[in-house]
């Protein structure tokens, strides 16, 4: 069993802030990113927690992101909230526009946030859960880089293209899912590579288009969508809604923009929020009960709702006041902190 290190929740946040600040992020961006990474780490979401500090540092080193850019919220008299990240990370733009999205959703019944010109690396579920905690249902989508081959294809055309959704529940954790439309998340493949473990069959092809279980060959080749043609069509839909629909880049264009540099992809994000009170004609309690009957029917037969394990991890880690990470990751983060300080 690999050795682990315990970090208090404050130590997790402080470590994030320290590395991000030393890497070159301004205080507002460092705080927004640290909040996201700490949230993910508390939920034992290893691929999007502290591990993502490496990508944040790589993005700064690539020289394209502005670590001090302040997002600009456009005035709007309709149900669309547009926020320009100005070439910074997406999270600060989301924070700035979130109150307006909530207000517009309650006014119109449905509203959408378009984040443009942002670098994006983070999980989507914390964002949609911010909306479900306000009593709204929500979904979010982003493209990435063209790392994923379409069904029947031999090279990357699509992004990992995650889709997240959250449904509010009275007095209970929300119904939330967040998954990539690729068979594996890019971050998971990197974790397999770092651990020296083979990938499952059917998740990637090498640069010649042949199936592979080698994580490095997968990263040099292309990933595959889940569900063959169904996943490929869903991924393409996300390309369109989070790209051309909001006047932003597709995964192919994001890859071209990167020009071989490392770091987070550059593109846009769309978040759509729904007000159950208006959609149900004010019959929220009755329809909450209908939703709860569905959830109960699922769990009563032994099935698991998505995110249940994450909610258990959150409750456990908050109660005990610390998280556990591998010593290897901890040592790598300490080296990253020293490296960032030196530069």
């Amino acid at each position: 069993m690999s050795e682990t290190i315990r970090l208090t929740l404050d130590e997790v946040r402080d470590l994030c802030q320290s590395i991000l600040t030393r890497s070159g992020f301004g205080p507002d961006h460092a705080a927004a990113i640290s909040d996201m990474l700490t949230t993910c780490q508390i939920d034992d979401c290893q691929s999007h927690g502290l591990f993502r500090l490496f990508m944040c540092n790589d993005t700064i080193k690539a020289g394209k992101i502005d670590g001090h850019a302040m997002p600009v919220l456009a005035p709007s008299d309709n149900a669309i909230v547009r926020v320009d990240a100005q070439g910074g990370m997406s999270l600060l733009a989301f924070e700035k526009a979130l109150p307006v999205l909530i207000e517009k959703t309650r006014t119109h019944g449905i509203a959408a946030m378009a984040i443009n010109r942002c670098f994006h690396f983070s999980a989507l579920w914390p964002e949609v859960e911010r909306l479900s905690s306000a009593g709204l249902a929500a979904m979010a989508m982003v493209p990435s880089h063209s790392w994923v081959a379409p069904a029947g294809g031999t090279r990357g055309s699509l992004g990992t293209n995650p889709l997240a959704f959250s449904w509010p529940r009275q007095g209970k954790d929300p119904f939330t899912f967040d998954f990539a439309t690729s068979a594996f998340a890019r971050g998971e493949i990197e974790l397999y590579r770092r651990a020296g473990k083979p990938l499952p069959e059917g998740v990637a092809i090498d640069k010649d288009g042949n199936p592979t279980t080698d994580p490095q060959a997968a990263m040099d080749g292309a990933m595959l969508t889940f569900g063959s043609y169904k996943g490929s069509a869903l991924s393409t839909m996300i390309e369109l809604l989070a790209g051309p629909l909001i006047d932003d880049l597709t995964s192919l264009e994001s890859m071209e923009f990167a020009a071989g540099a490392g770091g987070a992809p550059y593109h846009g994000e769309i978040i759509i929020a729904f007000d159950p009170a208006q959609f149900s004609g004010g019959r929220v309690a009755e329809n909450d009960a209908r939703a709860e009957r569905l959830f109960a029917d699922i769990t009563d037969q032994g099935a698991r709702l998505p995110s249940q394990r994450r909610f258990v991890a959150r409750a456990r880690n908050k109660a005990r006041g610390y998280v556990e990470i591998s010593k290897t990751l901890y040592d790598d983060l300490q080296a990253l902190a020293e490296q960032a300080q030196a530069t």
Side-chain angles (χ1 to χ4, degrees):
M1 184 175 180
S2 60
E3 187 178 353
T4 59
I5 297 290
R6 291 182 179 181
L7 295 175
T8 67
L9 307 189
D10 286 341
E11 286 173 336
V12 171
R13 189 179 302 276
D14 289 346
L15 180 60
C16 291
Q17 291 261 173
S18 174
I19 291 176
L20 291 165
T21 302
R22 292 178 182 184
S23 295
F25 288 96
D28 292 334
H29 279 287
I33 297 169
S34 295
D35 285 346
M36 170 68 73
L37 297 182
T38 302
T39 296
C40 291
Q41 198 64 55
I42 289 172
D43 282 16
D44 282 353
C45 184
Q46 303 295 339
S47 63
H48 286 77
L50 289 167
F51 171 70
R52 289 287 164 144
L53 286 165
F54 298 103
M55 176 173 276
C56 292
N57 183 66
D58 289 346
T59 305
I60 283 281
K61 285 170 58 180
K64 294 198 173 186
I65 191 172
D66 184 347
H68 296 265
M70 299 305 293
V72 176
L73 184 62
S76 164
D77 58 3
N78 58 26
I80 300 172
V81 183
R82 298 191 69 93
V83 56
D84 187 339
Q86 299 279 305
M89 284 292 190
S90 65
L91 297 173
L92 192 58
F94 174 81
E95 292 286 345
K96 184 178 183 69
L98 179 61
V100 182
L101 176 62
I102 293 173
E103 177 187 356
K104 285 185 177 292
T105 305
R106 289 178 175 154
T107 298
H108 299 285
I110 183 171
M113 179 195 300
I115 303 175
N116 291 111
R117 299 205 299 152
C118 68
F119 288 85
H120 190 277
F121 73 93
S122 50
L124 295 177
W125 59 260
E127 296 180 352
V128 291
E129 285 190 359
R130 291 281 294 276
L131 288 154
S132 61
S133 69
L136 306 174
M139 59 197 306
M141 292 166 274
V142 289
S144 58
H145 279 341
S146 50
W147 290 313
V148 183
T154 58
R155 66 176 184 273
S157 297
L158 307 169
T160 53
N161 295 7
L163 169 67
F165 173 81
S166 192
W167 173 271
R169 301 176 69 188
Q170 293 296 318
K172 299 180 180 179
D173 292 318
F175 172 88
T176 305
F177 66 77
D178 179 358
F179 54 74
T181 49
S182 55
F184 246 45
R186 183 79 171 179
E188 290 287 350
I189 290 182
E190 172 63 15
L191 288 175
Y192 270 67
R193 187 190 68 79
R194 290 169 66 89
K197 294 165 52 180
L199 297 171
E201 299 279 354
V203 304
I205 54 178
D206 64 20
K207 59 183 176 60
D208 298 317
N210 300 312
T212 185
T213 60
D214 181 339
Q216 186 59 57
M219 296 181 80
D220 294 337
M223 303 156 69
L224 298 175
T225 61
F226 75 82
S228 187
Y229 291 95
K230 294 180 180 179
S232 186
L234 186 59
S235 183
T236 305
M237 178 199 77
I238 292 169
E239 291 280 348
L240 298 172
L241 292 179
L245 179 71
I246 63 170
D247 187 34
D248 221 306
L249 304 186
T250 66
S251 296
L252 278 170
E253 292 166 332
S254 177
M255 184 78 91
E256 291 167 355
F257 176 86
Y266 178 74
H267 48 66
E269 176 181 0
I270 186 168
I271 302 110
I272 307 169
F274 310 84
D275 183 0
Q278 294 203 47
F279 271 91
S280 67
R283 295 172 57 83
V284 176
E286 296 91 336
N287 287 288
D288 277 350
R290 187 170 287 120
E292 290 302 319
R293 181 186 175 194
L294 172 61
F295 296 144
D297 200 60
I298 292 170
T299 57
D300 286 350
Q301 57 187 293
R304 179 177 61 85
L305 295 178
S307 294
Q308 281 187 331
R309 287 183 294 191
R310 186 166 58 78
F311 294 139
V312 169
R314 178 188 301 176
R316 180 190 65 243
N317 291 335
K318 283 188 172 182
R320 67 187 186 178
Y322 66 83
V323 299
E324 293 181 330
I325 65 171
S326 71
K327 187 175 184 304
T328 300
L329 175 59
Y330 180 76
D331 290 344
D332 288 346
L333 289 170
Q334 293 301 310
L336 176 62
E338 294 175 8
Q339 170 195 334
Q341 180 68 42
T343 56

